[in-house]
Amino acid sequence: MSTRRPPVDADIASRARATVKPGVYTLLPQANRVPSVLPNFSGASAQVLAAPQLGARFVEHELLIRPGGGSLGPICDGFEHFLFVLEGGVTLRMEAAEHQLCEGGYSWLPPERAYELKNQTDSQTRVIWLRRRYASAEGLQVPDAIVSNERDIPAVPEDTYLEQHLIPYENPAFDLAFNLLNFEPGTCFGYVESHIMEHGLYMLAGRGIYWLNGDYHEVQANDFIFMAAYCPQYFYATGWDRARYLLYKDVNRDYTQGL
Ligand code: UGY
Ligand code: MN
């Protein structure tokens, strides 16, 4: 029997950046994530990035789907779903329609919309998958599904950076936002934010310093951060390249649900 040995020159501090501050924030670097097996998939594993166990009101996974792998039949669990392809490609089958999502491709699916996922490429595919209970609002119809690619979404100025709104911001029927935030090196937020919305943040590129409730963390591509409601937050982009992250946020509701 052979066991895997870590490199002898790697110190524990650089290998263990994972930080959990219950009820405030969690930093989960890729190197510290452990795969789970999901019951309704084959040829795939998942890293659970955020879940109610952390205090989150949503579940976010990074799905790692091997060639030929995917869901074992239709996925339909009553939640709204959001998918974003980080790497590789995946086939999304919805009723009669089939969509090929390549890197940067994404989809929002309303509750009760059944779909199947399959990796028909010859390399591993990595997909961000978020699910939550859709919060309906009186007089607003549940929107139809969205299938698109971030390359087709314009970047608009916001505070000190450029933002792409993957879910239409102007439509209050959506109870969530997924935005891509793009920072030139050396840029930082214009102010410290503290707000009721939760965040699931996935670093896509570049480096930076995230300031979270008084703690400084250096962050890099593939890091995940969960920010609980009101967690004070501030970002500085460092390094030579643009920093970029995918950000989930709950929006457009008055938070009386659950009172
Ligand atoms: O929209 C936001 O709340 C965003 N500016 N927050 C963040 O990037 N931490
Ligand atoms: Mn924020």
Side-chain angles (χ1 to χ4, degrees):
M1 196 177 82
S2 68
T3 52
R4 202 164 63 91
R5 296 182 183 196
V8 285
D9 57 348
D11 61 291
I12 190 111
S14 62
R15 282 190 286 134
R17 293 185 299 115
T19 307
V20 181
K21 299 273 167 123
V24 188
Y25 73 86
T26 298
L27 168 65
L28 212 46
Q30 192 177 50
N32 305 122
R33 304 202 286 258
V34 173
S36 302
V37 173
L38 297 179
N40 302 319
F41 284 81
S42 74
S45 64
Q47 298 167 353
V48 187
L49 303 175
Q53 283 80 346
L54 273 185
R57 284 167 294 161
F58 61 95
V59 173
E60 187 165 350
H61 288 92
E62 178 173 333
L63 292 175
L64 304 145
I65 313 177
R66 294 187 284 281
S71 56
L72 285 170
I75 304 173
C76 190
D77 54 13
F79 296 110
E80 64 178 317
H81 289 219
F82 179 85
L83 301 156
F84 181 93
V85 179
L86 296 170
E87 182 189 349
V90 76
T91 305
L92 169 72
R93 206 171 295 134
M94 237 194 299
E95 287 144 14
E98 199 171 273
H99 304 272
Q100 306 301 333
L101 300 185
C102 58
E103 197 175 308
Y106 69 91
S107 180
W108 177 83
L109 298 132
E112 312 302 347
R113 176 65 52 89
Y115 68 95
E116 293 181 59
L117 277 185
K118 192 88 170 169
N119 179 2
Q120 295 182 308
T121 75
D122 52 16
S123 53
Q124 175 178 260
T125 288
R126 297 191 298 129
V127 180
I128 289 294
W129 183 34
L130 183 139
R131 286 172 296 161
R132 56 164 285 186
R133 192 164 297 288
Y134 177 75
S136 49
E138 220 179 302
L140 296 175
Q141 268 208 328
V142 182
D144 206 357
I146 296 174
V147 181
S148 188
N149 190 293
E150 63 94 355
R151 285 193 308 255
D152 300 325
I153 307 299
V156 294
E158 174 70 42
D159 192 19
T160 53
Y161 46 87
L162 292 176
E163 195 166 79
Q164 291 162 269
H165 301 148
L166 305 188
I167 305 288
Y169 238 26
E170 64 287 354
N171 184 351
F174 288 102
D175 63 350
L176 57 73
F178 261 95
N179 298 327
L180 280 171
L181 278 65
N182 301 278
F183 300 84
E184 291 302 326
T187 342
C188 52
F189 280 5
Y191 63 103
V192 176
E193 296 179 9
S194 178
H195 48 64
I196 191 163
M197 305 84 146
E198 297 179 303
H199 284 316
L201 181 160
Y202 198 98
M203 273 306 277
L204 298 176
R207 310 185 68 80
I209 307 285
Y210 235 104
W211 180 89
L212 296 161
N213 199 38
D215 301 337
Y216 291 92
H217 290 279
E218 191 167 15
V219 294
Q220 61 190 33
N222 299 315
D223 283 356
F224 177 81
I225 301 173
F226 164 66
M227 291 176 230
Y230 294 108
C231 173
Q233 54 201 261
Y234 192 85
F235 181 64
Y236 308 78
T238 60
W240 301 113
D241 304 314
R242 252 188 184 193
R244 192 162 198 236
Y245 56 74
L246 174 69
L247 187 73
Y248 158 77
K249 183 172 180 175
D250 48 310
V251 293
N252 295 338
R253 295 296 179 267
D254 66 5
Y255 297 93
T256 51
Q257 284 188 342
L259 280 184

